[in-house]
Amino acid sequence: MLETIDWPDRLYDVLKAQRIAQVGYVPDAGHARLIARCKADPEIRDVVLTTEEEGIALAAGAWLGHRRSALLMQSSGVGNCINMLSLIRVCRFPLVMLVTMRGEWAEFNPWQVPMGAIVQPSLKLADVQVYRADTPDDLIETAEAACDLAFAGELAVAVLISQRLIGRKQWVK
Amino acid sequence: MLERRAAIETLLAERPDDLFVVPGLGSTTYDVASLGESDRDFHLWGAMGGAAMIGLGLALAQPRLRVAVITGDGEMLMGLGSLATIGVQQPKNLAVIVFDNAHYGETGMQASHTGGGVDLIGVAKACGIADSLAVTDETGLKQLAARLPRFDRPLFATVRIRPEEPPRVLPTRDGVAIKLRFRKAVAASAGATQ
């Protein structure tokens, strides 16, 4: 099944078409391929973070420097961002968050469920526009639309990538 | 130990035109504002723990500009991980300067970790910011100020200040206005376009 997953490469193409110059991320299995593509691209500065909250401030700094950025994380990372999203809202910084979901479809680890279950309402309460994608084609269109909205409208936008798109995690190797 | 308002004046007395400053939430925002509001300051009224990362994003976006994050020990402690992130990135144009009074001035002068044995210089060095130094007197502060126009690798410094609260100087709190004027100043300085 893994060989047929092409959306990370297509997401990379979206980031390139959107002139994304900085990508902040905490290492994540669902984003592994996209992170590797960004790291291999000399035109994208990849910034590995210790916590997703750092990435919110990083994105604000990049915009102050007239550069577009994107922030990659998994759903548990959303909880680490909440207070720092005040910076985005009060200054009206554009923000693109691409969030791989855990704690939903075929989740093995119950510890992922509490945060996964409140990602959408938490982001909405923090004034982030939230879109969800369940199929590869939908994800690519949604990511393009999210970037347009974020950078043209100077708004915070999150794209939630369904756990179905990531596939079952193999726990016993 | 130094007096904070005199210290900020000495630190930025010869501020180069290409130096953009990110003052952290709390007293360092008032310190920098005491020199007069500048379009090249992105001062914070919130986002505690985020000052160094805002500086990093800006420094990476505009490598030809210089960026100085000037923040307090409490604000820095909330974003200690960002020192590790900066250590990995090694931005040549980013300085992080911590006005360290070992207290949380904004909330009633409670003791901070730096008074309890936590050594920020040791943290910064261990994170890979080799050029990390403690400033404790006027001579050291002047030497640090003289480096701001010409440092060429990531710089971290603590400036030991007395735990006291001079009268507050409150700059604008309108985040959108601060952002817009700062971006305009960056564009003028760097010829930057998005």
Side-chain angles (χ1 to χ4, degrees), chain A residues 33-70:
Chain A
R33 172 77 184 154
L34 178 56
I35 290 168
R37 292 294 307 272
C38 293
K39 284 175 76 81
D41 185 337
E43 289 176 345
I44 293 179
R45 184 66 177 242
D46 63 288
V47 181
V48 61
L49 311 163
T50 71
T51 170
E52 294 79 0
E53 177 186 21
E54 290 176 5
I56 305 289
L58 180 81
W63 187 253
L64 289 175
H66 296 258
R67 293 288 178 269
R68 293 180 170 202
S69 69

Side-chain angles (χ1 to χ4, degrees), chain A residues 116-128:
Chain A
I118 61 168
V119 159
Q120 189 149 345
S122 301
L123 286 170
K124 284 190 171 172
L125 283 168
D127 206 25
V128 176

Side-chain angles (χ1 to χ4, degrees), chain A residues 28-172:
Chain A
D28 166 50
H31 275 315
R33 172 77 184 154
L34 178 56
I35 290 168
R37 292 294 307 272
C38 293
K39 284 175 76 81
D41 185 337
E43 289 176 345
I44 293 179
R45 184 66 177 242
D46 63 288
V47 181
V48 61
L49 311 163
T50 71
T51 170
E52 294 79 0
E53 177 186 21
E54 290 176 5
I56 305 289
L58 180 81
W63 187 253
L64 289 175
H66 296 258
R67 293 288 178 269
R68 293 180 170 202
S69 69
L71 180 53
L72 316 183
M73 68 179 73
Q74 71 170 241
S75 46
S76 50
V78 169
N80 295 342
C81 295
I82 298 300
N83 181 55
M84 201 57 75
L85 286 169
S86 313
L87 169 70
I88 301 301
R89 178 177 175 165
V90 85
C91 298
R92 269 194 70 189
F93 280 110
L95 178 69
V96 173
M97 304 164 77
L98 301 178
V99 182
T100 53
M101 291 303 295
R102 292 288 307 272
E104 41 178 52
W105 185 78
E107 180 61 67
F108 170 85
N109 180 357
W111 295 54
Q112 288 283 357
V113 175
M115 187 62 229
I118 61 168
V119 159
Q120 189 149 345
S122 301
L123 286 170
K124 284 190 171 172
L125 283 168
D127 206 25
V128 176
Q129 308 305 308
V130 186
Y131 300 102
R132 185 184 166 91
D134 291 291
T135 68
D137 288 342
D138 191 23
L139 171 58
I140 299 309
E141 278 185 11
T142 305
E144 284 168 349
C147 290
D148 287 342
L149 181 60
F151 297 119
E154 300 196 315
L155 291 169
V157 187
V159 177
L160 310 188
I161 303 170
S162 164
Q163 195 164 359
R164 276 174 180 261
L165 284 168
I166 296 152
R168 285 174 199 268
K169 184 165 178 173
Q170 204 180 345
W171 282 93
V172 183

Side-chain angles (χ1 to χ4, degrees), chain B residues 12-173:
Chain B
L12 295 178
E14 311 275 328
R15 176 175 177 171
D17 288 342
D18 66 349
L19 183 72
F20 286 75
V21 176
V22 181
L25 170 67
S27 301
T28 48
T29 275
Y30 315 142
D31 293 336
V32 174
S34 75
L35 304 175
E37 278 196 53
S38 164
D39 292 354
R40 290 172 295 143
D41 300 338
F42 187 76
H43 58 263
L44 297 171
W45 279 98
M48 187 163 175
M53 287 304 299
I54 294 170
L56 178 63
L58 173 61
L60 296 179
Q62 291 295 335
R64 285 195 297 268
L65 301 181
R66 288 168 185 284
V67 180
V69 172
I70 301 177
T71 192
D73 47 295
E75 204 276 343
M76 187 73 253
L77 284 162
M78 195 173 280
L80 272 192
S82 57
L83 293 178
T85 298
I86 290 166
V88 170
Q89 294 298 323
Q90 292 291 313
K92 295 180 191 314
N93 56 333
L94 176 64
V96 177
I97 299 166
V98 178
F99 274 30
D100 183 3
N101 62 5
H103 287 81
Y104 289 86
E106 190 70 12
T107 55
M109 280 293 170
Q110 299 89 346
S112 86
H113 291 46
T114 63
V118 173
D119 168 21
L120 288 176
I121 299 293
V123 173
K125 282 187 175 169
C127 286
I129 308 175
D131 203 355
S132 297
L133 56 135
V135 170
T136 55
D137 59 20
E138 187 70 19
T139 308
L141 186 63
K142 282 183 174 158
Q143 285 167 353
L144 176 62
R147 294 192 58 195
L148 288 183
R150 54 189 173 83
F151 67 95
D152 57 4
R153 58 178 179 159
L155 176 64
F156 181 85
T158 55
V159 176
R160 193 77 175 92
I161 53 164
R162 289 197 292 269
E164 57 195 3
E165 274 193 281
R168 291 182 178 176
V169 179
L170 308 181
T172 179
R173 281 166 291 165

